[in-house]
């Protein structure tokens, strides 16, 4: 399920900034990247004006104080930043 689309319309915008805007937590960029792997070759390669899918996240996935969520987010970040 998708919440909305976002145009990364400024040079240098990062997924972390977009994640903070929508989820109030920059580390959740991994879920935006996961939803857009078909159009992004790497998390740092967001083109100006590129439209991204912003997935709706259940509240439990927004809680980084939960050790299971933190572990998931950290492991995805390591995988995606290789």
């Amino acid at each position: 399920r998708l919440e909305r689309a976002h145009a990364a319309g400024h040079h240098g915008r990062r997924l972390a900034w977009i994640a903070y805007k929508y989820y109030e937590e920059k580390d959740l960029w991994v879920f935006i990247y996961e939803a857009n792997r078909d159009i992004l070759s790497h998390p740092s390669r967001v083109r100006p004006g590129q439209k991204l899918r912003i997935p709706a996240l259940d509240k439990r996935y927004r809680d980084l104080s939960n050790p299971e969520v933190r572990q998931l987010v950290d492991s995805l970040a390591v995988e995606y930043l290789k």
Side-chain angles (χ1 to χ4, degrees), residues 8-66:
H10 296 88
H11 180 70
R13 285 282 190 242
R14 302 286 178 160
L15 291 179
W17 182 89
I18 297 167
Y20 186 79
K21 179 179 178 181
Y22 287 100
Y23 305 137
E24 298 180 354
E25 179 54 66
K26 64 183 175 90
D27 290 344
L28 298 179
W29 67 265
V30 296
F31 296 116
I32 298 173
Y33 180 67
E34 192 168 84
N36 291 279
R37 288 182 74 180
D38 60 326
I39 60 172
L40 295 175
S41 60
H42 190 272
S44 66
R45 296 193 179 109
V46 179
R47 295 185 319 271
Q50 189 169 24
K51 295 191 187 250
L52 301 175
R53 292 179 296 275
I54 308 299
L57 291 182
D58 187 282
K59 285 176 91 172
R60 66 184 161 182
Y61 289 108
R62 293 181 184 214
D63 180 13
L64 291 176
S65 66
N66 178 331

